[in-house]
Amino acid sequence: MPRSAPARAPITSPAAATVFTTVLTQGPVSRVDVARRTGLSSAAVTKAARPFIEAGYLEELASEERTGPGAGRPANPLAIRSDREYFVGVKITADDLIGVVTDLRAGIQTSRHHPLRDHDVEHVVAALADLVGELLDEGYRDRAYSLGVAISGDVDRETGLVRYSPFLGWRDVPLAELLDEATGLKTTLENDVKALAVAEQWFGEGVGASSFALVTVGTGIGSALVVNGRLVSGAHGVAGEIGHVPISADGPVCHCGGTGCVEAIASTEAILAAAKEAAGEPGLTMDDAVARARGGDESLREVFAGAGHAIGLGLAALVNLFGPERVVVSGEGVATYDLFEDQIRRTFAVQAFGSAGRCGLVIRPLPFEEWARGAAAVAVQGLFVPDRL
Amino acid sequence: MPRSAPARAPITSPAAATVFTTVLTQGPVSRVDVARRTGLSSAAVTKAARPFIEAGYLEELASEERTGPGAGRPANPLAIRSDREYFVGVKITADDLIGVVTDLRAGIQTSRHHPLRDHDVEHVVAALADLVGELLDEGYRDRAYSLGVAISGDVDRETGLVRYSPFLGWRDVPLAELLDEATGLKTTLENDVKALAVAEQWFGEGVGASSFALVTVGTGIGSALVVNGRLVSGAHGVAGEIGHVPISADGPVCHCGGTGCVEAIASTEAILAAAKEAAGEPGLTMDDAVARARGGDESLREVFAGAGHAIGLGLAALVNLFGPERVVVSGEGVATYDLFEDQIRRTFAVQAFGSAGRCGLVIRPLPFEEWARGAAAVAVQGLFVPDRL
């Protein structure tokens, strides 16, 4: 049962949503600029902004452009009051719960980790509620109404159902509803990579881009694609599987049954297997492989470069097919990106077709809190969508 | 200078456009069904349909569902009157102009080919105007107002500019404006693969699909992608380049500078080169290679199967990334698809990831008139968009 909504951002019309989103993601911005960017009239912008100012979500900044008595009405840019509401975001991994509290612009205020000892639904819900309680007790309880939860696997955001989570062994768990009750917050679930993409789209590299991709590299390799401003979800529930783009007809067999998939060459596990073979040491650890490659071990450097080459080919496939404005490559595997980055960029430059290669390529590590921040960004988006059915 | 529009379909509001498009692409359909599919009220549908009925674009069919005096108002499905307006479509190739006249549902009424002797802009415009004149003289002149033109290369539909056509050697030619004047018809230009995709989206396999892809195989290998009901155009002007998806890290070098691109293995030219090498006959022709492969020559059969494998890998990359509802594979190269199809399907089945493999895969030949029909479909779409600036 959905609880009755507390006093919140007064998003009562499409125009109100448009104006608030524009200031939230692009502000501070003058009313005239909001009108220009949204196609609304200045009068409609002023009318839509007023309830947000009254509710404390927006404020009018003192104009910096007052240039004298003849200059007419000053620009008075509109800005978000980020601390008007807080959001809780939690990422569930096989071993941990990572939680953050963010403000309205997904700025992290505080974070906590809890180990996860059991994958039983009841246990996970209770542990997550404990974590949320501790986070709220740091002084956010009276201005937090929403929880975002990010989890890998097949997640139905609209119904709040975890359809399939391989690492938890869950099928068809109504997690959002269970967390509503356990935490007292309105819960929104999302696939973890899509949640990261939401954070990028609204508050990161994707702001103002009508199309971009977020690629995550680590144990798995995945991506989320935004085209014409909307996430691509796939007609049959699958999209963004850059890890299963086949880039080497003679490559290794992948766990998916295919051959030469990017993930079969560049996942953390695949890299470690190749490193063990290259070194002739079945007991080699990833930390050792990284240290020795950084120290100049040529055969191990080649293993990492091979992974970078595979990622670069996968990126070229993605970019040649959908021509995004920008691609962000991140994920825990990118912690060692000094060993990859050169080769990713070199391969991409060769294989990107024509002007598709003008796509901006950002490669950067991903602190674990970022996943939880993505979950919080999904909760921020929840301001704009009706309660689930 | 845009001419003043002749008496045309009275598309005067978004609701009118929605109702007319629904009946055009999905009719005959009852008003109740139109309302259900579009989210409009029944009253709004009735109101929007009336001017189209009066102008002769729509008609009310006799209800087939009248089940007795107690059954209430009969369903009276709405249908398009396809012959109310005709459209001319022309595909420009390096050697030919192919022209068709179609009705409102892009049904071909007549077609003509003209050889193209010169790539000079003036000559092409004059030859195209001649072809259009001959087509209209077959009895379509009084009900044809629009011309669609399909051409490979970089085409700006909105401004009517051919930005770059490699095979004509053109840059920045304002072809639509020149053809407006030469033909007296309102001209819309589109890239040829995109034009084919429009025909599929509105009148073919794409009807009712929110996402699908059209892949063309021949001298070049390209595709057009529709996601969330809209063509993907690429932030930097490049998208759908499935021919330049790298699928074989050790494969042949491509003319684009990359390695192992689908096109470097499966284009007509690449197949012929591989066939010559397999047969050890530098003078082998494509017709001979096809005939001998069909006759059972194993080494030549393997060449075609290798091309099918490359296409299957490219399709898997596309489908794993986008998850379309359906993919249509066509093009002049598919004329020999008996030699490809098995391998395309087998490779696709292995490499498609999870439920992405449920994507429908249609492989079929493409008569040359289909390209011109695509151009005509673009002209039909022109009913719904304002004159170019």
Side-chain angles (χ1 to χ4, degrees):
Chain A
M1 295 281 289
R3 288 148 293 112
S4 66
R8 295 287 292 281
I11 297 170
T12 52
S13 70
T18 302
V19 169
F20 188 57
T21 314
T22 304
V23 182
L24 177 63
T25 60
Q26 299 168 40
V29 55
S30 72
R31 286 178 175 82
V32 173
D33 276 343
V34 173
R36 198 173 41 76
R37 292 178 200 180
T38 61
L40 294 168
S41 71
S42 282
V45 172
T46 297
K47 187 178 163 210
R50 194 173 303 124
F52 290 102
I53 295 173
E54 283 164 7
Y57 281 85
L58 297 184
E59 63 185 336
E60 221 162 341
L61 300 183
S63 171
E64 296 164 8
E65 293 171 50
R66 201 186 289 270
T67 53
R73 199 181 161 191
N76 278 350
L78 291 171
I80 200 83
R81 287 185 56 188
S82 298
D83 61 354
R84 172 61 182 79
E85 183 172 339
Y86 294 108
F87 299 82
V88 184
V90 177
K91 152 90 167 174
I92 307 178
T93 78
D95 310 312
D96 278 294
L97 300 175
I98 301 107
V100 297
V101 173
T102 76
D103 62 16
L104 267 160
R105 288 180 48 78
I108 295 180
Q109 310 295 305
T110 186
S111 74
R112 282 179 181 245
H113 290 217
H114 270 202
L116 194 60
R117 295 205 174 76
D118 192 331
H119 292 168
D120 186 72
V121 173
E122 211 169 310
H123 177 83
V124 172
V125 168
L128 206 150
D130 281 352
L131 175 66
V132 170
E134 288 174 23
L135 286 163
L136 292 180
D137 282 345
E138 293 186 35
Y140 303 100
R141 195 172 286 280
D142 59 335
R143 269 187 276 167
Y145 317 106
S146 304
L147 167 65
V149 173
I151 184 168
S152 73
D154 187 355
V155 173
D156 188 336
R157 177 169 173 165
E158 276 170 44
T159 59
L161 203 68
V162 177
R163 281 214 210 92
Y164 179 47
S165 163
F167 73 89
L168 293 177
W170 289 3
R171 276 191 194 276
D172 297 325
V173 174
L175 186 62
E177 200 182 320
L178 295 171
L179 289 173
D180 276 358
E181 280 173 31
T183 66
L185 302 181
K186 177 189 161 197
T187 307
T188 309
L189 298 188
E190 187 53 285
N191 165 275
D192 56 352
V193 180
K194 288 185 181 167
L196 271 182
V198 166
E200 287 296 335
Q201 186 180 9
W202 279 40
F203 307 109
E205 299 284 344
V207 173
S210 79
S211 63
F212 77 98
L214 175 79
V215 177
T216 60
V217 177
T219 310
I221 297 179
S223 71
L225 313 177
V226 171
V227 176
N228 294 328
R230 289 174 59 188
L231 261 179
V232 178
S233 53
H236 304 286
V238 169
E241 291 290 351
I242 192 173
H244 299 284
V245 163
I247 48 90
S248 175
D250 305 316
V253 170
C254 181
H255 63 84
C256 76
T259 296
C261 296
V262 173
E263 193 166 299
I265 301 167
S267 72
T268 305
E269 192 184 318
I271 292 173
L272 182 56
K276 285 174 177 174
E277 186 160 327
E281 298 173 33
L284 188 72
T285 66
M286 194 61 170
D287 286 348
D288 283 343
V290 169
R292 278 154 57 175
R294 282 180 178 152
D297 181 319
E298 268 312 313
S299 68
L300 287 174
R301 290 189 74 82
E302 265 170 38
V303 167
F304 286 96
H309 183 52
I311 294 166
L313 291 172
L315 291 175
L318 187 156
V319 164
N320 294 350
L321 283 170
F322 98 109
E325 216 165 310
R326 230 162 295 165
V327 176
V328 177
V329 182
S330 196
E332 72 268 24
V334 179
T336 54
Y337 76 125
D338 53 305
L339 298 169
F340 292 115
E341 185 172 0
D342 253 27
Q343 188 62 52
I344 292 178
R345 290 191 183 279
R346 241 180 298 151
T347 299
F348 179 76
V350 170
Q351 298 285 162
F353 186 71
S355 60
R358 279 156 51 200
C359 161
L361 189 56
V362 178
I363 304 174
R364 61 155 194 242
L366 183 72
F368 241 89
E369 283 77 12
E370 285 293 303
W371 292 99
R373 177 176 177 256
V378 169
V380 175
Q381 271 195 333
L383 285 174
F384 297 89
V385 295
D387 283 354
R388 62 179 177 277
L389 301 175
Chain B
M1 295 280 291
R3 288 148 293 113
S4 67
R8 294 289 291 283
I11 297 170
T12 53
S13 70
T18 301
V19 169
F20 188 57
T21 314
T22 304
V23 182
L24 177 63
T25 60
Q26 299 169 41
V29 55
S30 71
R31 286 178 176 82
V32 174
D33 276 344
V34 173
R36 199 172 40 75
R37 292 178 202 180
T38 60
L40 293 167
S41 71
S42 284
V45 172
T46 298
K47 188 179 165 210
R50 195 173 303 127
F52 290 101
I53 295 173
E54 283 164 7
Y57 280 86
L58 297 184
E59 64 184 336
E60 223 162 338
L61 299 184
S63 171
E64 296 164 9
E65 293 172 49
R66 199 185 292 267
T67 53
R73 199 181 160 189
N76 279 349
L78 291 171
I80 199 83
R81 288 186 56 188
S82 297
D83 61 353
R84 173 60 182 80
E85 183 172 338
Y86 294 108
F87 298 83
V88 185
V90 176
K91 153 91 169 175
I92 307 177
T93 77
D95 310 312
D96 279 294
L97 300 175
I98 300 108
V100 297
V101 173
T102 77
D103 62 16
L104 266 160
R105 287 179 49 77
I108 295 179
Q109 310 295 304
T110 187
S111 73
R112 284 177 180 247
H113 290 216
H114 270 201
L116 194 60
R117 295 204 175 77
D118 192 330
H119 292 168
D120 186 72
V121 173
E122 213 169 309
H123 177 82
V124 172
V125 168
L128 206 150
D130 281 351
L131 175 66
V132 170
E134 287 173 24
L135 287 163
L136 292 180
D137 282 345
E138 293 187 35
Y140 303 99
R141 194 173 288 280
D142 59 336
R143 270 188 276 168
Y145 316 108
S146 304
L147 167 66
V149 174
I151 184 168
S152 72
D154 187 355
V155 172
D156 188 336
R157 178 172 175 164
E158 277 172 44
T159 58
L161 202 68
V162 177
R163 280 214 209 93
Y164 178 48
S165 162
F167 73 89
L168 293 177
W170 290 3
R171 276 190 193 277
D172 297 324
V173 174
L175 186 62
E177 198 181 322
L178 295 170
L179 289 172
D180 276 359
E181 280 173 32
T183 67
L185 302 180
K186 178 190 161 197
T187 307
T188 309
L189 298 188
E190 187 53 284
N191 166 275
D192 56 353
V193 180
K194 287 185 182 168
L196 270 181
V198 166
E200 287 296 334
Q201 184 181 11
W202 278 41
F203 307 109
E205 298 285 344
V207 173
S210 79
S211 63
F212 76 98
L214 175 80
V215 177
T216 60
V217 177
T219 310
I221 296 179
S223 71
L225 313 177
V226 171
V227 176
N228 294 327
R230 289 174 60 188
L231 263 179
V232 178
S233 53
H236 303 288
V238 169
E241 291 289 353
I242 191 174
H244 299 285
V245 164
I247 48 90
S248 175
D250 305 317
V253 170
C254 181
H255 62 85
C256 77
T259 294
C261 295
V262 173
E263 193 166 300
I265 301 166
S267 73
T268 306
E269 191 184 319
I271 292 173
L272 183 55
K276 285 175 176 174
E277 187 159 326
E281 297 174 35
L284 187 73
T285 67
M286 193 63 170
D287 286 347
D288 284 343
V290 169
R292 278 155 59 176
R294 282 180 179 152
D297 182 318
E298 269 312 315
S299 69
L300 287 174
R301 290 187 74 80
E302 265 171 39
V303 167
F304 285 96
H309 183 53
I311 294 167
L313 291 172
L315 291 176
L318 186 155
V319 164
N320 293 350
L321 285 169
F322 285 88
E325 215 165 313
R326 231 162 294 165
V327 176
V328 178
V329 182
S330 196
E332 72 267 25
V334 178
T336 54
Y337 75 125
D338 53 304
L339 297 169
F340 291 116
E341 184 173 0
D342 255 26
Q343 189 62 54
I344 292 178
R345 289 190 184 280
R346 240 179 299 150
T347 300
F348 179 76
V350 170
Q351 298 285 162
F353 186 72
S355 60
R358 280 157 50 199
C359 161
L361 189 56
V362 178
I363 304 175
R364 61 158 194 241
L366 182 72
F368 241 89
E369 283 77 12
E370 285 293 302
W371 291 100
R373 178 176 177 257
V378 169
V380 175
Q381 270 195 334
L383 284 173
F384 297 88
V385 294
D387 284 354
R388 60 178 179 279
L389 301 174

